[in-house]
Amino acid sequence: MNISISENAEHWFKDEMEASPGDYVKFFARYGGSSPLHEGFSLGITKEIPDEIAVETVMDGVHFYIEERDIWFFDNHDLQVDTDPASEELAFSYSKNS
């Protein structure tokens, strides 16, 4: 499994979440909402020190990661994070990994 962060999304994290080198940004399964992968669950994000990293991508010193306990949510899919040009908010997409 991989996490891909676009340049636009990287700027969003720096501007909106004040992410800076050395920070950890976690993607996690959140009860409520829906996603293309699971009804009743959606993807959450927070800045938090990791407990047990399963997947990690580092961009410009910022660590983007998923904990071992949340890996089930991705159901063998890679996560792509970008921004929606219309809303300028984060947009998540998932692709089956090989």
Side-chain angles (χ1 to χ4, degrees):
M1 144 148 229
N2 294 304
I3 303 170
S4 300
I5 310 289
S6 74
E7 188 174 314
N8 288 338
E10 180 184 6
H11 292 297
W12 186 97
F13 284 106
K14 289 178 179 178
D15 294 342
E16 299 296 325
M17 292 185 75
E18 300 179 355
S20 59
D23 284 344
Y24 287 83
V25 177
K26 177 170 83 168
F27 299 100
F28 64 96
R30 179 173 84 85
Y31 184 71
S34 66
S35 75
L37 302 177
H38 300 283
E39 188 64 36
F41 290 89
S42 57
L43 189 61
I45 55 173
T46 188
K47 280 185 5 186
E48 186 174 302
I49 299 296
D51 182 40
E52 189 177 3
I53 295 176
V55 180
E56 178 181 36
T57 296
V58 180
M59 289 187 69
D60 200 22
V62 178
H63 301 256
F64 299 92
Y65 72 98
I66 299 165
E67 294 274 9
E68 190 66 43
R69 67 179 162 268
D70 290 314
I71 205 77
W72 66 269
F73 175 82
F74 298 92
D75 191 30
N76 293 315
H77 288 75
D78 292 331
L79 171 65
Q80 293 84 38
V81 184
D82 201 351
T83 55
D84 180 313
S87 68
E88 297 183 1
E89 292 298 327
L90 290 180
F92 305 109
S93 59
Y94 308 89
S95 59
K96 193 77 166 167
N97 58 26
S98 47

